[in-house]
Amino acid sequence: MLTTLLLSAVLTFSPPVHHEVTLAGSFGEPRPNHFHAGCDVKTGQVEGKPVFSVADGYVCRATVGKNGFGNALYVRHPNGYTSVYCHLQRFTPQIAAMVRKWQYGHEQYVADVEFKPTDFPVAEGQLIAVSGNSGASAAPHLHFEIHDTRTWDAVDPLRFIGKYLKDNTAPTADAVMVIPLEGEGVFCEKQYKQRYPLAGTNHQLTAWGRVGFAFHAEDRMEGSWNRLGVRHSALIVDGDTLFRSNVDRIPERCNRMVNSWGDFDYYVTNLTWFMKSFAEPGNNLPVIDTDKRRGIVTFNEERPYNITYVISDFFGNKNEYRFVVHGKRQDIEPRKHAGTYVFKWDRDNSFALENVMLKLRKGLLANDIGITPQETASHYGISAAYSFRDRPTPILDWGEMGLKVLTDVEHPEKLYIVCHDKYERFIKGKYNGGWVYGSLRDLGLSYELAYDDMPPEVTLEAATRGVLRLNVEDGKSGISSFKAYIDGKFVLFEDVQKSTGKICRLNSTPIKRNGRSRTLTVYAVDNCNNKTKGEWKIEY
């Protein structure tokens, strides 16, 4: 059976808010390409709630516009942990002043400011910020993380603030996914994955050979309608535990392994995560533990196999689900790799064709896969467009690809790679000998070359009552940098969240009002080093 974490053994911090702590998201929830590295604390669907340091320490870092965090603060504590507070509306005035000083000193809005221990020491419960909705946030809340300062592993914040939450509700599972290993297993006379409800079915389940199981479950807590992730799970067959998980601590380098532990293919189609109760050979996530068979169930006797799932949350609330699978001899067809090339998880892999090349070093695949380079529709005609799989297939880190240039361009240094996803994404490319080389992390998307020799567009949309509003756009490679000056002095424009707009409130700049005509000059540079200079007369 699973061992639950005793609250008496948990390190205790104060909560980051002084209202009732309820969660909109929990630590370790599976997301495409990453685990949720913290917990989302509800703020009543509004901005402006006070945020407090959870323990003594010092503010060691403040960031603006980085990593989707919007405005974020980092507090280092003497016990070896660092707390992180994200999507903030604003910092306390002293911290905000230091961040603004850094922005002016570096003449840029996106900021990453490091502080010395003596700059901003804080006490437990001290006000450090106000909650908001900045960055990649869909609604007002506080995203709160705890990291091991030395390794930067993400740690479940409930280890530190769990005592302030009320949760007597056990997680629930509604279905299992059965995944026969290709060429090695069969389930109910089928060799493809199948979904079965955990209740309400009278269908007799049969299996032979090697079969993996996955489950879909979610957790709830009092005071929240949100669906949360599951902290513990175990798969037990005839009394032996083949697999267990404890989503307690996640190294940053393991983030993309979520796509291997979860059934990524099913998620893409159904937006539902089934978490595998076995480990693919290239998946070494430390939050999962298996027997020597890596959690795969071997049905090699004609008898009933008693299978039990146990799922529980941080607080020890648990549910158990039992079902029986009957071992029954069934024909198993040999494995057939669907692909022109077979890329192995435990070695370097590469191929080169006339117009495209792909190279994946060892460690980028969780399992063997078939690769079929497929030419797709080209939007720009500069190169052929290629995908390498017939469906989205994220890999564990960056691989290398190359595309041959098929048309003459005046400035080859302005070539770049376009990834066709939900929207076009810029990938930096390096031109060498008629080819452009770059990186990729998904084998199922389409890639081709594009060319950008057009500068960004900058429009002054408003200049009234001491407020300047600009729109800064680049329809191809995207904006790389932006700066603005009034009469030759730098002024800070802040990003308007979730838009291409920028705003400057002149009374917060070094420029003093005198009612005279002034010159506003802006410079915008895109990712292919095309530059725009805009100049306007304003009165202030």
Side-chain angles (χ1 to χ4, degrees):
M1 304 296 288
L2 294 176
T3 301
T4 56
L5 187 62
L6 295 177
L7 292 181
S8 61
V10 179
L11 293 165
T12 302
F13 286 173
S14 294
V17 296
H18 285 180
H19 56 267
E20 183 179 5
V21 182
T22 56
L23 301 184
S26 60
F27 178 79
E29 289 178 10
R31 310 280 173 87
N33 304 316
H34 71 284
F35 292 95
H36 192 228
C39 60
D40 290 338
V41 178
K42 287 176 173 285
T43 58
Q45 299 181 326
V46 298
E47 300 185 41
K49 297 288 187 178
V51 175
F52 305 92
S53 176
V54 295
D56 294 348
Y58 70 95
V59 177
C60 63
R61 184 184 182 195
T63 62
V64 176
K66 291 183 69 69
N67 305 320
F69 284 174
N71 301 319
L73 279 183
Y74 298 67
V75 178
R76 187 166 297 169
H77 307 289
N79 64 355
Y81 292 94
T82 298
S83 55
V84 186
Y85 313 75
C86 307
H87 306 314
L88 303 170
Q89 183 189 84
R90 62 185 184 273
F91 310 129
T92 55
Q94 300 94 328
I95 298 172
M98 287 291 286
V99 171
R100 181 61 59 96
K101 180 180 179 181
W102 187 98
Q103 290 171 315
Y104 270 87
H106 291 77
E107 295 191 352
Q108 66 181 53
Y109 168 71
V110 176
D112 192 344
V113 189
E114 294 187 359
F115 299 115
K116 300 188 296 293
T118 53
D119 288 336
F120 293 110
V122 293
E124 181 176 344
Q126 181 175 330
L127 179 71
I128 56 173
V130 173
S131 72
N133 189 33
S134 60
S137 171
H141 71 283
L142 172 67
H143 177 79
F144 176 64
E145 298 183 0
I146 297 285
H147 288 264
D148 182 313
T149 301
R150 183 180 61 84
T151 65
W152 208 243
D153 290 357
V155 181
D156 188 353
L158 294 190
R159 287 178 54 187
F160 303 83
I161 64 169
K163 65 177 291 184
Y164 301 104
L165 280 71
K166 297 177 181 178
D167 187 354
N168 297 302
T169 304
T172 57
D174 61 356
V176 294
M177 188 77 73
V178 182
I179 308 173
L181 270 62
E182 188 176 356
E184 298 183 59
V186 60
F187 197 91
C188 290
E189 300 182 355
K190 302 179 181 71
Q191 290 186 227
Y192 50 82
K193 69 176 66 172
Q194 304 149 57
R195 173 177 173 164
Y196 291 93
L198 277 169
T201 180
N202 295 318
H203 186 68
Q204 186 179 62
L205 305 177
T206 63
W208 197 250
R210 303 182 70 212
V211 177
F213 289 85
F215 70 97
H216 174 254
E218 56 193 35
D219 194 17
R220 305 273 185 162
M221 66 172 294
E222 286 81 348
S224 174
W225 53 266
N226 298 83
R227 301 171 180 178
L228 308 176
V230 173
R231 174 64 179 268
H232 300 278
S233 74
L235 175 66
I236 303 167
V237 180
D238 293 334
D240 293 330
T241 301
L242 275 59
F243 173 95
R244 71 175 72 232
S245 65
N246 178 14
V247 188
D248 172 62
R249 184 184 185 100
I250 301 172
E252 192 170 21
R253 61 178 173 79
C254 294
N255 249 318
R256 290 180 66 85
M257 289 182 184
V258 68
N259 300 320
S260 169
W261 183 16
D263 189 330
F264 183 82
D265 287 346
Y266 191 85
Y267 174 82
V268 168
T269 304
N270 300 278
L271 299 181
T272 300
W273 282 106
F274 274 80
M275 306 308 291
K276 299 169 187 170
S277 298
F278 62 94
E280 294 181 319
N283 184 347
N284 55 13
L285 266 171
V287 302
I288 59 180
D289 183 30
T290 70
D291 66 350
K292 62 182 180 181
R293 294 164 292 183
R294 299 188 68 80
I296 297 295
V297 183
T298 301
F299 296 92
N300 56 8
E301 298 177 11
E302 291 192 299
R303 61 172 179 84
Y305 289 74
N306 295 290
I307 298 179
T308 303
Y309 262 113
V310 182
I311 56 174
S312 62
D313 62 19
F314 171 85
F315 300 94
N317 305 304
K318 73 175 182 179
N319 266 316
E320 296 188 7
Y321 299 87
R322 295 180 174 85
F323 57 96
V324 176
V325 177
H326 296 270
K328 177 185 175 183
R329 292 185 183 275
Q330 302 167 54
D331 292 336
I332 301 175
E333 295 182 3
R335 181 176 186 178
K336 297 178 182 178
H337 271 293
T340 306
Y341 305 91
V342 177
F343 275 23
K344 299 287 189 178
W345 70 271
D346 59 350
R347 66 187 66 173
D348 295 338
N349 299 275
S350 65
F351 71 81
L353 302 178
E354 182 179 1
N355 296 321
V356 64
M357 61 80 65
L358 175 67
K359 183 184 297 183
L360 303 183
R361 57 178 171 78
K362 179 181 176 181
L364 296 187
L365 298 176
N367 212 344
D368 297 348
I369 62 172
I371 298 287
T372 299
Q374 180 69 41
E375 193 166 336
T376 60
S378 173
H379 293 245
Y380 301 105
I382 298 172
S383 71
Y386 279 95
S387 63
F388 305 100
R389 297 267 288 172
D390 61 359
R391 58 189 180 277
T393 306
I395 56 179
L396 300 180
D397 208 334
W398 293 101
E400 181 183 353
M401 69 173 301
L403 292 165
K404 187 176 181 179
V405 183
L406 300 180
T407 59
D408 292 333
V409 295
E410 185 176 359
H411 301 287
E413 71 276 9
K414 295 186 181 294
L415 290 166
Y416 64 99
I417 297 174
V418 168
C419 171
H420 296 291
D421 200 348
K422 295 178 182 178
Y423 52 89
E424 289 191 355
R425 289 194 287 111
F426 166 86
I427 298 177
K428 184 176 179 61
K430 182 177 181 180
Y431 179 82
N432 186 10
W435 287 69
V436 175
Y437 299 94
S439 301
L440 81 168
R441 290 203 294 185
D442 194 312
L443 303 175
L445 302 177
S446 178
Y447 302 89
E448 66 172 307
L449 295 182
Y451 181 74
D452 185 4
D453 62 356
M454 300 293 293
E457 295 182 1
V458 181
T459 306
L460 178 62
E461 296 189 330
T464 58
R465 298 180 180 179
V467 177
L468 306 178
R469 295 178 185 272
L470 294 171
N471 189 61
V472 183
E473 293 187 84
D474 187 87
K476 290 191 174 181
S477 61
I479 300 296
S480 172
S481 67
F482 170 86
K483 293 183 180 182
Y485 301 85
I486 293 180
D487 294 344
K489 293 183 179 180
F490 175 78
V491 291
L492 184 68
F493 275 77
E494 299 181 355
D495 289 347
V496 177
Q497 296 295 328
K498 304 167 182 63
S499 79
T500 56
K502 297 181 183 293
I503 188 169
C504 175
R505 295 174 176 83
L506 291 173
N507 62 4
S508 66
T509 73
I511 306 299
K512 303 301 180 184
R513 183 190 292 271
N514 60 18
R516 299 177 182 176
S517 176
R518 299 176 179 272
T519 301
L520 168 65
T521 307
V522 302
Y523 301 91
V525 184
D526 67 20
N527 283 304
C528 286
N529 204 36
N530 301 301
K531 301 176 181 179
T532 289
K533 177 183 177 181
E535 198 165 87
W536 299 270
K537 292 295 184 180
I538 62 170
E539 288 188 5
Y540 180 69

